[in-house]
Amino acid sequence: MDIIQVITRELNVEKWQVEAAVKLIDEGCTIPFISRYRKEATGTLNDEQLRNLNERLAYLRNLEDKKAQVLGSIEEQGKLTPELKKQIEAAQTLVVVEDLYRPYRPKRRTRAIIAREKGLGPLADIILLQMTKKPLEEEAKAFLSEEKEVKTVEEAISGARDILAEHISDEADYRISIRKRTMDKGTICSVARDEKEQSVYEMYYDFEEPVKKLAGHRVLALNRGEKEKFLTVKILAPEEEIIRYLEKQVIVRDNPNTTPVLKEAIEDSYKRLIGPAIEREIRSALTEAAEDGAIHVFGKNLEQLLMQPPMEGRTVLGWDPAFRTGCKLAVVDPTGKVLDTVVVYPTAPQCKVEQAKKTVHDMIKKYNVSVISVGNGTACRESEQVITELIREIPEQVAYVIVNEAGASVYSASKLATEEFPEFDVGQRSAASIARRLQDPLAELVKIEPKAIGVGQYQHDMNQKRLEEALNGVVEDCVNKVGVDLNTASAPLLSYIAGISKAVAKNIVAYREENGRFHTRKELLKVPKLGPKAFLQCAGFLRIPGGEEPLDNTSVHPESYEAATKLLNDLGYTSESIRGGGLSSLNSQIKDEKELAENLGIGEMTLHDIIEELEKPGRDPRSEMPKPVLRTDVLEMKDLKPGMILKGTVRNVIDFGAFVDIG
């Protein structure tokens, strides 16, 4: 199989693009680096295309390895025919390779193997040939043997039938056809194990739907209901049609001596061997497709959450709502430093509303708080009511935002939070995290395991390795798209930068603590375990505001500094000219990009990126996203009026709809 050709066709791109991307991946380049700094080589394949390419490359290489292993195994047995070799080499999926390998795979002791050991193989061959003129009982007498424990004619025929059933089951073409028929015409049904028991799965207590129409979220719901022992789930195949198909393939002559036994062998083969195996395979394929869909949706939601614009320059009051234990508050200054923490009890059972309002108002005045960031967990609505009453009563201009607090408790109990806030308890850390999520969602959310951020469905039921890989890819793309400040970034944030492992991220932070701030990107090479290869991958994504080299605060890669400096000099500027806002009219001064790129010895796409960056150095792509909705209005249902147009925040998108918070 030509892997490059297959990927080219699937991604609908040019062959040279795929070849270049595969070469870069094999050289150890990361996806964000290839996407951003090797556009000429790959013809601007984006992050998503490159990740799909990388995933298919791994699958197809694994498929080729499996084919080689299967061909080796069959050849060792001396059973490899040119036709079989051709079929295996042409297989496009692992399932087909497994089908073709099935007859040759070393088996555990099956009923058919035991029958062969008793010398009943030739009897099975006689039946399969369908030529005998004698009654089968007559033929079977020749195979009776005290020594081999075949004492009766019935035992001999039964053993031969077992051999035939396994032979039919091992035919790859039969399996491929039966799998397709079951997918096209089968239905999946579920029933309650106990109809009287109440559960969230009641809509599946008597459920049936065609396999090919089954939505991904239903597959995941049925799986979970079955796992939790509320449901019995099975696939109903078009059994009669399948058995007729098998009879047509196997019974080639109408011989009254052999046809009845062949029919029994076919039915046994399907019901005992083929049917259950194909049901498992189809359920597994449905689950995999449903997981792929859910992971894709999860990834998109996560990207939206991570790419929310930061709320810079604001002092924020983080509010972690609760009932019995009180609401934890933390005031965080614009740099993310916690200034004060307190617990108030405006919610049930204490209901100390006035006291809570006074405490919060005092904090607003003392620290000049302009925004309250409220977690959307338990007691959020009750807290919101207190906050809106307070906003109406006080002269200060304060807004509030409901933020997604999923994962805040996971973070606040983590080792990282303990290191960050050793003097705080779990609740105070959670409130600080809720405030910081508004100030810089990306920097705060990378501290939490992606699947704990809770913007998806059924994440705990999925293949955790695949989920983790996909979500880590989303976080990596977002972090590298934005870039990070080398002098303030935490180790978790740095570990998502292309080419930087968790160990190297800790080394960067340790180096910074020991030697003070970084003044140039080149200094990174002094960090233990960060060599030239890692530097090439990571340098362009790390920013140094106010450093010695102005280009260090842009996404221009150090390998292009010479070209960028020459470009500036040719137009009458120096790299110092880009400090404090960039050169907004740079593009209009360039007459011929193609000629200029040739003179500078770089590609046109690289030149275009350099110009864009010099015009707006260190620009944050998140600034183009919609800002968080600052609320002061709709507080309860009666505030809604017909015809009102409201701004809401989409909290989660799943297969069957979206959850929108309107206040």
Side-chain angles (χ1 to χ4, degrees):
M1 184 198 291
D2 183 343
I3 289 178
I4 301 287
Q5 199 62 53
V6 173
I7 296 175
T8 300
R9 194 174 58 246
E10 287 179 355
L11 290 185
N12 197 18
V13 292
E14 298 296 324
K15 189 177 179 185
W16 62 267
Q17 292 177 287
V18 176
E19 284 171 339
V22 170
K23 184 172 180 286
L24 288 164
I25 288 167
D26 287 345
E27 284 168 6
C29 292
T30 59
I31 300 298
F33 175 80
I34 299 170
S35 170
R36 172 75 193 174
Y37 297 113
R38 292 295 179 262
K39 287 180 180 173
E40 273 85 14
T42 67
T44 67
L45 291 179
N46 62 29
D47 295 333
E48 197 170 335
Q49 287 171 308
L50 286 163
R51 288 205 184 277
N52 289 341
L53 182 151
N54 194 21
E55 200 176 296
R56 287 300 286 154
L57 180 66
Y59 178 87
L60 293 170
R61 282 180 170 170
N62 183 24
L63 177 62
E64 289 305 293
D65 290 346
K66 183 72 182 172
K67 285 181 189 178
Q69 181 197 330
V70 163
L71 287 167
S73 170
I74 300 172
E75 196 159 24
E76 253 176 50
Q77 298 169 38
K79 295 175 181 173
L80 188 62
T81 62
E83 191 192 347
L84 180 59
K85 186 178 181 185
K86 200 173 163 189
Q87 276 183 299
I88 291 170
E89 283 172 348
Q92 300 286 319
T93 64
L94 285 165
V95 172
V96 173
V97 175
E98 288 291 353
D99 281 348
L100 293 164
Y101 183 41
R102 186 176 299 276
Y104 310 97
R105 185 195 283 125
K107 290 185 170 76
R108 56 187 174 76
R109 277 172 61 75
T110 60
R111 280 160 49 171
I113 287 173
I114 294 163
R116 283 190 193 282
E117 287 168 0
K118 291 180 176 179
L120 297 170
L123 178 59
D125 293 341
I126 289 167
I127 299 170
L128 197 57
L129 274 171
Q130 305 163 51
M131 301 281 276
T132 182
K133 300 275 195 297
K134 293 186 210 168
L136 204 51
E137 287 74 10
E138 287 291 310
E139 296 278 13
K141 280 177 186 170
F143 296 91
L144 299 182
S145 158
E146 283 292 333
E147 186 193 332
K148 291 184 176 173
E149 294 180 2
V150 184
K151 293 169 187 170
T152 65
V153 164
E154 286 73 22
E155 275 179 30
I157 294 172
S158 173
R161 196 167 45 229
D162 287 340
I163 293 169
L164 290 166
E166 190 171 279
H167 167 76
I168 294 163
S169 155
D170 282 345
E171 276 292 331
D173 289 350
Y174 299 171
R175 278 187 175 255
I176 291 165
S177 172
I178 292 168
R179 189 181 296 112
K180 187 174 184 314
R181 285 165 197 262
T182 309
M183 282 295 282
D184 290 346
K185 298 180 182 176
T187 58
I188 195 159
C189 71
S190 63
V191 292
R193 285 194 171 193
D194 177 0
E195 284 179 16
K196 296 187 183 73
E197 192 169 2
Q198 288 189 325
S199 77
V200 293
Y201 303 105
E202 281 170 33
M203 68 175 289
Y204 296 109
Y205 277 9
D206 183 13
F207 172 82
E208 191 169 331
E209 196 166 342
V211 170
K212 63 180 179 185
K213 286 188 179 173
L214 196 63
H217 62 92
R218 292 203 191 286
V219 173
L220 297 172
L222 288 167
N223 288 356
R224 188 187 279 183
E226 186 177 44
K227 191 177 165 190
E228 291 177 9
K229 299 199 167 32
F230 286 103
L231 303 174
T232 300
V233 182
K234 60 175 182 285
I235 287 177
L236 301 176
E239 200 172 288
E240 277 181 35
E241 183 188 318
I242 289 167
I243 286 174
R244 275 201 312 275
Y245 157 77
L246 285 173
E247 285 176 355
K248 206 171 172 184
Q249 301 303 311
V250 177
I251 302 170
V252 290
R253 289 179 187 81
D254 189 17
N255 183 332
N257 296 316
T258 56
T259 299
V261 176
L262 281 171
K263 283 188 171 181
E264 286 169 14
I266 287 165
E267 193 167 331
D268 177 46
S269 179
Y270 176 69
K271 289 186 174 173
R272 180 168 61 88
L273 302 170
I274 305 174
I278 283 185
E279 177 166 9
R280 282 193 300 274
E281 284 167 17
I282 290 177
R283 294 235 11 224
S284 173
L286 289 172
T287 300
E288 202 170 308
E291 285 184 358
D292 281 346
I295 287 171
H296 179 73
V297 170
F298 204 145
K300 288 286 177 210
N301 284 337
L302 182 59
E303 184 184 359
Q304 295 293 327
L305 198 58
L306 294 173
M307 293 300 280
Q308 285 180 106
M311 194 169 275
E312 291 161 337
R314 303 272 202 126
T315 300
V316 177
L317 173 69
W319 184 304
D320 182 12
F323 286 114
R324 191 178 49 77
T325 53
C327 301
K328 288 76 175 174
L329 314 183
V331 179
V332 178
D333 78 0
T335 67
K337 186 177 164 215
V338 179
L339 304 175
D340 199 355
T341 64
V342 72
V343 182
V344 293
Y345 298 91
T347 52
Q350 290 91 341
C351 300
K352 297 177 181 173
V353 177
E354 293 310 315
Q355 194 179 326
K357 281 189 196 170
K358 184 181 181 314
T359 305
V360 175
H361 190 197
D362 290 345
M363 290 174 102
I364 290 169
K365 284 191 292 189
K366 184 175 177 183
Y367 298 108
N368 198 18
V369 171
S370 60
V371 183
I372 299 172
S373 175
V374 190
N376 66 343
T378 311
C380 163
R381 287 287 170 254
E382 292 73 6
S383 298
E384 190 180 2
Q385 207 162 352
V386 173
I387 291 164
T388 48
E389 282 172 18
L390 175 69
I391 288 171
R392 283 175 183 160
E393 291 163 9
I394 61 175
E396 289 82 3
Q397 288 294 303
V398 179
Y400 74 94
V401 180
I402 307 282
V403 299
N404 187 333
E405 68 165 52
S409 55
V410 175
Y411 159 74
S412 48
S414 69
K415 184 169 174 268
L416 179 67
T418 313
E419 286 166 10
E420 220 177 335
F421 300 117
E423 72 283 12
F424 289 171
D425 66 21
V426 171
Q428 291 167 305
R429 289 176 200 150
S430 188
S433 174
I434 287 167
R436 285 170 163 191
R437 280 182 184 211
L438 191 62
Q439 291 175 320
D440 191 344
L442 185 59
E444 198 58 27
L445 289 167
V446 293
K447 297 173 184 174
I448 303 161
E449 202 183 4
K451 68 181 179 194
I453 295 172
V455 283
Q457 51 176 356
Y458 301 104
Q459 56 263 41
H460 303 294
D461 298 352
M462 290 184 204
N463 178 321
Q464 294 301 300
K465 187 170 178 283
R466 281 178 62 223
L467 178 65
E468 208 167 304
E469 280 170 6
L471 297 185
N472 283 342
V474 171
V475 180
E476 191 183 6
D477 289 345
C478 292
V479 171
N480 289 286
K481 219 175 266 176
V482 171
V484 306
D485 184 336
L486 184 53
N487 286 313
T488 60
S490 63
L493 188 55
L494 287 166
S495 72
Y496 281 106
I497 290 289
I500 295 181
S501 64
K502 285 183 178 171
V504 172
K506 284 180 179 169
N507 290 350
I508 293 172
V509 174
Y511 180 90
R512 203 169 62 197
E513 284 168 0
E514 204 173 308
N515 302 286
R517 50 184 283 119
F518 285 88
H519 299 288
T520 66
R521 279 171 169 168
K522 278 188 194 144
E523 259 184 88
L524 278 164
L525 290 162
K526 295 179 183 173
V527 173
K529 293 187 179 164
L530 199 157
K533 200 172 175 185
F535 180 79
L536 176 73
Q537 298 295 313
C538 73
F541 303 110
L542 297 165
R543 312 270 186 271
I544 304 179
E548 288 171 16
E549 167 55 78
L551 291 170
D552 281 351
N553 192 33
T554 70
S555 68
V556 176
H557 197 282
E559 65 184 3
S560 303
Y561 279 7
E562 198 181 318
T565 307
K566 188 173 184 310
L567 167 68
L568 288 165
N569 293 344
D570 289 354
L571 296 171
Y573 302 107
T574 67
S575 58
E576 288 296 323
S577 314
I578 63 169
R579 286 203 201 267
L583 305 164
S584 54
S585 60
L586 202 60
N587 206 18
S588 59
Q589 297 173 48
I590 290 158
K591 304 286 177 280
D592 186 343
E593 270 194 18
K594 191 176 182 188
E595 190 187 321
L596 182 57
E598 278 172 21
N599 291 343
L600 295 171
I602 55 176
E604 273 184 78
M605 294 170 196
T606 302
L607 174 64
H608 181 76
D609 284 350
I610 290 172
I611 293 167
E612 203 174 54
E613 198 55 35
L614 296 177
E615 287 188 326
K616 284 185 180 175
R619 73 193 170 89
D620 190 333
R622 293 176 295 176
S623 57
E624 291 149 25
M625 302 288 277
K627 300 274 184 284
V629 181
L630 297 175
R631 308 216 65 89
T632 52
D633 50 1
V634 174
L635 314 174
E636 47 192 320
M637 280 306 229
K638 69 170 189 276
D639 293 343
L640 294 171
K641 302 282 180 285
M644 238 182 170
I645 295 176
L646 290 167
K647 248 190 178 181
T649 305
V650 177
R651 292 277 170 225
N652 199 357
V653 179
I654 61 291
D655 281 351
F656 50 85
F659 292 90
V660 185
D661 183 344
I662 57 163

